[in-house]
Amino acid sequence: KAAQDSGRDIRLNFAGGGPEAVRIAEISETTSFIEFRGVYDYALERDDLYGRADIIYAVYPQEVPNNRFHIARRFQEAVLLGIPIIVAAGSYMAEIVKESGVGWSVDSERPEALKELLLNIYDKQTSLRRCTEASLLVRDRYSFESYVNPLLDVLDAVAKSG
């Protein structure tokens, strides 16, 4: 609402399921700038979803320990596709985002922080370009293959030794 009130044309698109899906769907029905797609077929619809995204939102609850220490598939896809990402402050992904410059982190406990960040990004479009360019520079480091190939090498070595 703050974006529309200030004359900024920001649209938020959400897709997926989960406990918050019903609430997001209800909110999207009462606003013109929020779209909710619901559960989708990842293999069939991923390209369309990411093709329409300027920013990927990957903020997960930090009270769940795994969310503080993992790298989400969304992060890898964002970097691969050159789409800036927003992650939760205080997480391992936030450290990587800061180091690599591929996006931003936000305090997941303060909704006001997300609003401020989105308005700031909108006002400074050059930051989107910088994040996209940074993604191209670190793409190989965070690709799926960069994680899987070392594992495959170990498995191959174990198989040959046994």
Side-chain angles (χ1 to χ4, degrees):
K1 180 118 174 68
Q4 285 189 325
D5 290 347
S6 64
R8 296 173 178 105
D9 183 24
I10 295 177
R11 301 190 189 290
L12 303 174
N13 296 297
F14 292 91
E20 65 285 339
V22 171
R23 185 163 178 217
I24 294 173
E26 290 170 352
I27 292 169
S28 72
E29 291 174 10
T30 64
T31 66
S32 61
F33 63 95
I34 296 176
E35 176 188 325
F36 181 65
R37 191 170 186 149
V39 176
Y40 62 96
D41 184 317
Y42 180 81
L44 296 176
E45 299 178 71
R46 177 197 61 213
D47 292 344
D48 178 54
L49 286 169
Y50 284 131
R52 297 179 330 146
D54 294 319
I55 300 170
I56 294 174
Y57 181 77
V59 176
Y60 302 101
Q62 293 301 286
E63 64 271 6
V64 177
N66 191 45
N67 291 344
R68 289 193 305 266
F69 305 110
H70 84 299
I71 296 177
R73 179 174 59 195
R74 258 190 228 155
F75 172 84
Q76 293 170 312
E77 291 170 337
V79 169
L80 176 68
L81 297 168
I83 302 172
I85 189 165
I86 298 173
V87 300
S91 67
Y92 178 59
M93 285 194 300
E95 292 176 30
I96 295 172
V97 164
K98 182 178 180 180
E99 170 195 310
S100 61
V102 298
W104 308 268
S105 63
V106 68
D107 183 345
S108 61
E109 300 296 316
R110 289 189 343 114
E112 187 71 19
L114 178 60
K115 179 180 91 173
E116 292 167 7
L117 175 62
L118 290 174
L119 293 175
N120 188 34
I121 293 168
Y122 184 88
D123 291 339
K124 297 177 182 165
Q125 293 284 313
T126 56
S127 63
L128 283 172
R129 275 194 306 279
R130 276 196 308 271
C131 292
T132 297
E133 291 165 2
S135 292
L136 298 176
L137 296 174
V138 298
R139 176 180 287 173
D140 291 340
R141 187 182 327 159
Y142 297 109
S143 70
F144 179 71
E145 290 79 12
S146 72
Y147 297 97
V148 170
N149 288 339
L151 173 63
L152 294 176
D153 292 343
V154 169
L155 293 176
D156 190 40
V158 169
K160 288 178 181 174
S161 69

